[in-house]
Amino acid sequence: MGRTVRHVFVAGCVLLWLIPLYLLVVNALTPAAEYAGKPEWTFQGFALLDNLDTAWDVAGIGDSFQSSLLYAVVCGLLAVLVAAMAAFAVVVLPIPRPAFWFWLIYSGTLFPLQMFLAPLFGLYADANLYDTRIGLMLVYTAWAVPFAFFLIRNQLTTMPPELTEAALLDGASFPRIFWRIHVPLMKAGLGAAFIFQFTAVWNDLLLGITLSRSPDVQPVMAALTTLNNAYSSAGPPVILAGALIVSAPTLVLFLVFRGLFLRGVTASAR
């Protein structure tokens, strides 16, 4: 009986996820001129390529797509690198009060992002970083570090300290121990942390609309809201086609690296 209830619950959750996806695809295929003003449940034609082309041009999603790809890849990698070094310092290096440093870094995930928006906006305006790619890259990297640090630190705590002790006895320095021993052993955790941060940066809207306005600087989620504001001229099928464009990178990333992601999450949860 318990197994049946679990299967029914899981099937219901899958159905709740598939229905909106089905509506998204069906209505993105509908020609914009033939859209009746309400969601279509059956295929009314195939105008996906036209809708994608319009979405790419109307809101400048093409430029924003490239910008978001740059932000997600570069900032994700930088955040994971900084987080790995910080986790190594907290777990492996003989620093005083490691618990204090852990909570100091991890506290970045505990406060709502909205409380930083006003100070960030003022700071960026004064420093001429507003509406610049480097400004967004700085804040995205800093924003992504705390959670990546949490994941990587959890995996580091599962590694036996004898590894470090043996390397020190052999004359290895701490940087060499980090790059030659711990980084290879943490590949799965580093990969999982990167996937998390890539997804977080890619899906960001709040920082994007607060700290940028130009189409070639704004992240793709902000461009999608611009397309949504053009509702009357573009039409829902075009907006949904834009949503398909925005959804593709994170879906492809997870499908390609799902094995690495699961291994990394498992290693960090031990």
Side-chain angles (χ1 to χ4, degrees):
M1 181 63 181
R3 180 176 296 180
T4 303
V5 172
R6 286 196 300 270
H7 288 171
V8 171
F9 175 76
V10 171
C13 292
V14 172
L15 190 63
L16 288 174
W17 183 82
L18 288 177
I19 289 175
L21 179 62
Y22 171 79
L23 287 172
L24 171 65
V25 174
V26 168
N27 288 274
L29 293 173
T30 303
E34 299 177 13
Y35 188 74
K38 60 181 180 179
E40 299 287 351
W41 288 87
T42 58
F43 292 95
Q44 303 297 315
F46 186 84
L48 179 62
L49 297 180
D50 292 336
N51 292 337
L52 289 174
D53 184 64
T54 304
W56 195 264
D57 294 332
V58 167
I61 283 185
D63 292 335
S64 298
F65 187 95
Q66 296 176 32
S67 296
S68 274
L69 197 60
L70 173 69
Y71 301 148
V73 173
V74 175
C75 298
L77 289 174
L78 286 175
V80 169
L81 176 61
V82 173
M85 291 180 175
F88 179 80
V90 169
V91 176
V92 178
L93 295 184
I95 61 172
R97 297 188 292 176
F100 167 79
W101 295 108
F102 166 76
W103 284 108
L104 179 65
I105 299 172
Y106 182 63
S107 65
T109 66
L110 303 179
F111 300 101
L113 187 60
Q114 290 83 349
M115 68 182 294
F116 301 110
L117 292 182
L120 269 175
F121 182 84
L123 175 64
Y124 269 48
D126 294 339
N128 294 323
L129 290 173
Y130 177 76
D131 198 31
T132 63
R133 284 186 171 180
I134 188 65
L136 282 177
M137 291 174 70
L138 286 172
V139 72
Y140 280 144
T141 301
W143 174 49
V145 165
F147 187 70
F149 165 78
F150 175 75
L151 289 176
I152 297 169
R153 180 258 181 191
N154 285 353
Q155 185 180 5
L156 268 176
T157 56
T158 65
M159 297 183 182
E162 289 79 11
L163 287 174
T164 303
E165 294 171 2
L168 289 173
L169 288 175
D170 289 338
S173 62
F174 281 115
R176 187 178 181 86
I177 293 171
F178 173 74
W179 289 109
R180 294 297 182 90
I181 297 177
H182 287 81
V183 168
L185 292 175
M186 292 191 301
K187 282 183 179 178
L190 296 175
F194 172 75
I195 293 173
F196 270 118
Q197 302 319 317
F198 180 98
T199 304
V201 173
W202 182 270
N203 290 334
D204 171 68
L205 172 63
L206 196 57
L207 290 171
I209 63 176
T210 303
L211 301 177
S212 65
R213 64 186 178 191
S214 302
D216 58 334
V217 175
Q218 276 190 330
V220 72
M221 288 298 174
L224 191 60
T225 62
T226 303
L227 180 59
N228 191 35
N229 292 334
Y231 186 96
S232 57
S233 60
V238 175
I239 297 171
L240 295 175
L244 283 178
I245 296 174
V246 171
S247 303
T250 52
L251 180 61
V252 171
L253 182 69
F254 179 77
L255 291 177
V256 172
F257 297 103
R258 62 186 181 278
L260 176 67
F261 176 77
L262 292 174
R263 290 196 304 272
V265 172
T266 302
S268 299
R270 290 175 183 173

